């Protein structure tokens, strides 16, 4: 028997409730997933507290959550690469019945569903699809619930040595994979990462895994910097000034050179300044963190140094790389999970996440699994 489909629904700004929703059935090329682990992202908290991010406004109830994993519980027509839970029952003796259960595939869910037909999709950059339907970005429901339906080709089977939590963390890790790929971090790179939150930390791990010689990371919070050190940062710089030039000077002095690549993950305007001033002429400044829509930046300095300022929107074709990195042990994202809650404790989990303490808050949706 299926559990009721308890779902974390954002009814309107500030009003998050658990509701029972119908159990969705998978259509053609889709699978139904019994959800297991869902990480809370900054955008989930933002939609809850502010009701909007830029032009994306919560106008109707929406299920939150887009960093997720679970077990395939039903297959739609046409799905052949995933398997569902199977109960094989046979009568062994007069006294008892023997039942053998083969579990369904454990999968990580890539939450953006592109149109597949536009030029961005056809060119392989489907993250730039103007019609993309992204979980928990209005008006699209997310996956913080017990049962969720998703296109099967965007569900990635987890090998036995990759946990559900790691499966959920593939989502932010894929952002790091995409950012390091687009900014061309490679063997011997000197990398400057602004911000030691979850995205800064996955960028740090991916940069090291790609062979970066030295990674310096900055933050305004010393606890986060201490954690970044444990995660492999070579140098940490505590930011106490809003003057980007001052921060850049500190970074260059501590690193012993100008970084080839800067990855901005804080969204702070002064960090963009620091990135432009610190980056080696001919280097790359990757903008991952989102701050204000209009930023005042020293554009001439960037232009005259031929520092390429590049943007980053989520990921495209990066889940397989992120999964391979976890499965092979090249990155270890497990320590990012600082707090765990059950689906029933979703409100508490969001209240905690709002405080900005800890690193990644994970919600466990499945009643039967730890
Ligand atoms: O995990 C992907 C992700 N992307 C975020 C934020 C949080 N998590 N982005 C920032 C907000 N943009 S958006 O275009 N938007 C709300 C759809 O402003 C997307 C990328
Ligand atoms: Zn996110």
């Amino acid at each position: 028997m299926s559990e009721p489909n308890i779902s974390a629904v954002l009814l309107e700004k500030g009003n998050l409730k658990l509701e029972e929703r119908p159990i969705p059935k998978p259509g053609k090329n889709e699978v139904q997933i019994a959800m297991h682990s869902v990480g809370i992202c900054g955008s989930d908290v933002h939609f809850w507290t502010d009701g909007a991010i830029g032009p994306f406004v919560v106008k109707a109830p929406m299920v939150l959550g887009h960093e997720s994993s679970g077990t395939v519980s039903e297959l739609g027509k046409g799905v052949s690469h995933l398997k569902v839970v199977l109960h094989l029952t046979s009568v062994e003796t007069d006294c008892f019945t023997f039942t053998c259960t083969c579990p369904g595939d454990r999968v990580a869910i890539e939450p953006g569903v592109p149109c597949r037909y536009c030029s961005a999709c056809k060119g392989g950059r489907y993250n730039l699809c103007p019609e993309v339907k992204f979980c928990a970005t209005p008006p699209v429901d997310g996956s913080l619930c017990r049962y969720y339906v998703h296109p099967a080709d965007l569900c990635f089977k987890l090998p036995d040595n990759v946990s559900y939590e790691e499966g959920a963390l593939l989502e932010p890790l894929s952002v790091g994979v995409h950012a390091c790929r687009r900014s061309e971090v490679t063997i011997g790179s000197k990398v400057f990462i602004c911000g030691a939150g979850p995205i800064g930390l996955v960028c740090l791990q991916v940069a090291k895994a790609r062979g970066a010689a030295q990674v310096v990371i900055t933050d305004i919070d010393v606890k986060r910097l201490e954690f970044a050190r444990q995660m492999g940062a070579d140098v940490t710089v505590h930011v106490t000034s809003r003057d980007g030039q001052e921060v850049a000077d500190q970074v260059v002095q501590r690193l012993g050179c100008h970084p080839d690549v800067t990855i901005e993950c804080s969204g702070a305007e002064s960090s963009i300044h620091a990135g432009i001033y610190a980056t080696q002429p001919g280097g790359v400044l990757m903008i991952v963190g989102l701050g204000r829509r209009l930023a005042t930046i020293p554009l001439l300095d960037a232009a005259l140094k031929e520092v390429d300022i590049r943007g980053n929107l989520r990921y495209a074709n990066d889940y397989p790389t992120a999964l391979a990195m976890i499965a092979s042990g090249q990155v270890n994202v497990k320590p990012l999970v600082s707090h765990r809650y059950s689906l029933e404790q979703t409100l508490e989990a969001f209240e905690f996440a709002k405080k900005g303490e800890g690193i990644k808050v994970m919600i466990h949706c499945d009643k039967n699994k730890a």
Side-chain angles (χ1 to χ4, degrees), residues 300-313:
L300 264 192
D301 294 72
L304 294 173
K305 286 168 74 179
E306 294 193 5
V307 166
D308 291 348
I309 303 177
R310 297 185 191 166
N312 190 97
L313 180 63

Side-chain angles (χ1 to χ4, degrees), residues 41 43 47 53 56 66 134 137 171 290 313-314:
C41 171
S43 70
F47 280 124
I53 300 179
F56 295 88
H66 62 267
F134 197 87
T137 291
E171 204 278 340
L290 293 190
L313 180 63
R314 303 173 181 137

Side-chain angles (χ1 to χ4, degrees), residues 192 194 243-245 247-248 262 269-279:
F192 166 24
C194 314
D243 183 333
Q245 184 67 66
V247 175
T262 297
E269 204 167 288
S270 58
S271 289
I272 304 177
H273 297 188
I276 290 173
Y277 294 132
T279 306

Side-chain angles (χ1 to χ4, degrees), residues 224-261:
R224 287 194 168 211
L225 289 176
E226 176 49 38
F227 189 71
R229 265 220 179 268
Q230 291 166 22
M231 299 285 284
D234 300 287
V235 181
T236 57
V237 173
H238 183 214
V239 174
T240 52
S241 159
R242 287 219 180 114
D243 183 333
Q245 184 67 66
E246 212 176 291
V247 175
D249 290 345
Q250 266 180 296
V251 164
V252 171
Q253 192 255 322
R254 296 282 309 283
L255 194 60
C257 62
H258 290 269
D260 308 291
V261 175

Side-chain angles (χ1 to χ4, degrees), residues 65-267:
H66 62 267
E67 299 178 357
S68 56
S69 66
T71 311
V72 176
S73 48
E74 204 175 317
L75 300 180
K77 282 209 175 78
V79 181
S80 55
H81 77 288
L82 293 171
K83 52 177 205 316
V84 72
V85 64
L86 205 63
H87 301 285
L88 301 166
T89 306
S90 63
V91 178
E92 283 280 295
T93 70
D94 291 343
C95 313
F96 62 90
T97 304
F98 179 76
T99 303
C100 165
T101 303
C102 304
D105 280 334
R106 300 179 320 112
V107 292
I109 300 168
E110 181 175 340
V113 182
C115 82
R116 303 170 194 269
Y117 294 102
C118 69
S119 59
C121 285
K122 288 195 164 174
R125 297 178 73 175
Y126 60 85
N127 55 326
L128 304 179
C129 170
E131 300 297 326
V132 68
K133 292 179 170 51
F134 197 87
C135 290
T137 291
V140 182
D141 280 327
S143 49
L144 184 46
C145 54
R146 276 222 165 92
Y147 295 98
Y148 173 73
V149 158
H150 204 68
D153 66 319
L154 295 169
C155 296
F156 295 85
K157 182 171 155 39
L158 301 175
D160 290 345
N161 69 334
V162 177
S163 68
Y164 284 109
E165 287 192 349
E166 289 173 298
L169 290 168
L170 279 187
E171 204 278 340
L173 182 61
S174 295
V175 175
V177 169
H178 194 65
C180 288
R181 185 157 64 85
R182 276 184 50 69
S183 58
E184 298 171 80
V185 173
T186 189
I187 306 164
S189 295
K190 312 281 181 3
V191 181
F192 166 24
I193 297 174
C194 314
I199 295 298
L201 293 170
V202 290
C203 287
L204 159 67
Q205 288 222 4
V206 176
K208 294 294 277 189
R210 287 176 67 106
Q214 268 193 299
V215 179
V216 54
I217 192 162
T218 54
D219 205 285
I220 53 172
D221 183 330
V222 282
K223 275 202 260 163
R224 287 194 168 211
L225 289 176
E226 176 49 38
F227 189 71
R229 265 220 179 268
Q230 291 166 22
M231 299 285 284
D234 300 287
V235 181
T236 57
V237 173
H238 183 214
V239 174
T240 52
S241 159
R242 287 219 180 114
D243 183 333
Q245 184 67 66
E246 212 176 291
V247 175
D249 290 345
Q250 266 180 296
V251 164
V252 171
Q253 192 255 322
R254 296 282 309 283
L255 194 60
C257 62
H258 290 269
D260 308 291
V261 175
T262 297
I263 307 179
E264 204 307 293
C265 302
S266 73

